[in-house]
């Protein structure tokens, strides 16, 4: 009896190890530093899952930043995204933007995106791409919806070649300057993977740079 009990425990242990190894292969953890000049003011942790063709299937993002000085600003975000064939299927999570709370639950259906923002019903058109700065396809759409506010924003994009410093290494990149209702800049490598995001917070320049 003890032998069979031991074998059962061993089998469960091996299964647990195997499942965790599979999950480790499916999901990739990445980190980015939130910088103001040369000072680090926050951290982003994003976990991605891709299919065999490298297409994003799932993204989980946690970020936090604090700006200390004459004005104090604090921002934390935890959102989860499900993707299929390059289109977001579901978005949910919560954000605290300096005291403004956003609880999101959004689902894609055949007619639109529909769901709730702080328990209020909201719908968005399917031709609006989520403002997911980690996703290369954000560079292809003139209409976005913001995260976490779920507001429609019209933008124009200018593309150019550039280089980005990641750690001590200069990486060849594609640079995208967004103008219109929301102004920011993104850099992706030639495999269409995120490298850097530059934007403004309370009039201050902030960079989010992929950690080496």
């Amino acid at each position: 009896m003890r032998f069979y009990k031991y074998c059962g425990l061993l089998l469960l242990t091996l299964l647990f190890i195997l499942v965790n190894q599979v999950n480790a292969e499916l999901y990739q953890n990445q980190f980015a530093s939130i910088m103001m000049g040369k000072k680090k003011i926050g951290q982003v942790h994003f976990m991605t899952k891709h299919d065999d063709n490298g297409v994003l299937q799932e993204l989980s993002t946690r970020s936090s930043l604090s700006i200390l000085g004459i004005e104090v600003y604090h921002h934390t975000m935890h959102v989860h995204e499900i993707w299929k064939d390059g289109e977001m299927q579901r978005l949910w999570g919560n954000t605290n933007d300096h005291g403004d709370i956003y609880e999101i639950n959004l689902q894609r259906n055949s007619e639109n995106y529909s769901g709730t923002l702080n328990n209020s019903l909201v719908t968005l058109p399917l031709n609006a791409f989520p403002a997911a700065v980690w996703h290369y396809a954000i560079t292809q759409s003139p209409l976005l919806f913001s995260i976490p506010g779920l507001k429609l924003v019209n933008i124009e994009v200018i593309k150019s070649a550039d280089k980005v410093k990641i750690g001590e290494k200069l990486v060849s990149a594609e640079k995208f300057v967004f103008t219109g209702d929301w102004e920011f800049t993104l850099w992706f490598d030639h495999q269409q993977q995120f490298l850097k995001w530059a934007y403004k917070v309370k009039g201050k320049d902030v960079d989010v740079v992929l950690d080496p």
Side-chain angles (χ1 to χ4, degrees), residues 15-31:
L15 182 60
F16 176 80
I17 293 172
L18 179 61
V19 168
N20 279 276
Q21 285 178 338
V22 170
N23 285 335
E25 293 174 357
L26 289 175
Y27 291 90
Q28 181 180 9
N29 285 288
Q30 292 182 287
F31 297 88

Side-chain angles (χ1 to χ4, degrees), residues 48-155:
T48 58
K49 177 185 176 183
H50 296 78
D51 63 17
D52 293 338
N53 296 316
V55 178
L56 183 68
Q57 291 182 310
E58 195 169 339
L59 171 66
S60 179
T61 309
R62 290 180 182 267
S63 65
S64 179
L65 72 90
S66 296
I67 300 175
L68 302 177
I70 297 175
E71 183 177 30
V72 178
Y73 175 80
H74 184 70
H75 175 97
T76 58
M77 173 184 281
H78 180 205
V79 295
H80 201 93
E81 306 165 16
I82 300 295
W83 293 75
K84 182 180 180 181
D85 299 328
E87 296 175 338
M88 181 183 284
Q89 303 300 309
R90 190 181 173 206
L91 167 70
W92 72 96
N94 58 78
T95 298
N96 182 335
D97 187 30
H98 200 49
D100 293 329
I101 306 300
Y102 300 87
E103 295 281 349
I104 307 170
N105 195 336
L106 196 66
Q107 188 97 20
R108 181 187 179 94
N109 55 51
S110 60
E111 297 181 352
N112 52 36
Y113 290 100
S114 62
T116 59
L117 174 62
N118 294 339
N119 295 320
S120 296
L121 295 177
V122 62
T123 58
L124 295 165
L126 291 179
N127 65 326
F129 192 83
V133 298
W134 322 104
H135 201 299
Y136 184 84
I138 190 177
T139 65
Q140 311 299 311
S141 176
L143 181 64
L144 307 176
F145 64 82
S146 64
I147 301 172
L150 302 185
K151 295 180 179 179
L152 293 175
V153 291
N154 291 283
I155 53 95

Side-chain angles (χ1 to χ4, degrees), residues 31-36 39-46 194-195 197 206-212:
F31 297 88
S33 296
I34 305 174
M35 308 293 297
M36 181 177 288
K39 182 179 180 181
K40 183 174 179 177
I41 60 172
Q43 181 80 34
V44 181
H45 172 209
F46 55 106
F194 171 83
L195 292 174
W197 172 28
V206 174
D207 293 331
V208 181
V209 185
L210 185 70
D211 289 349

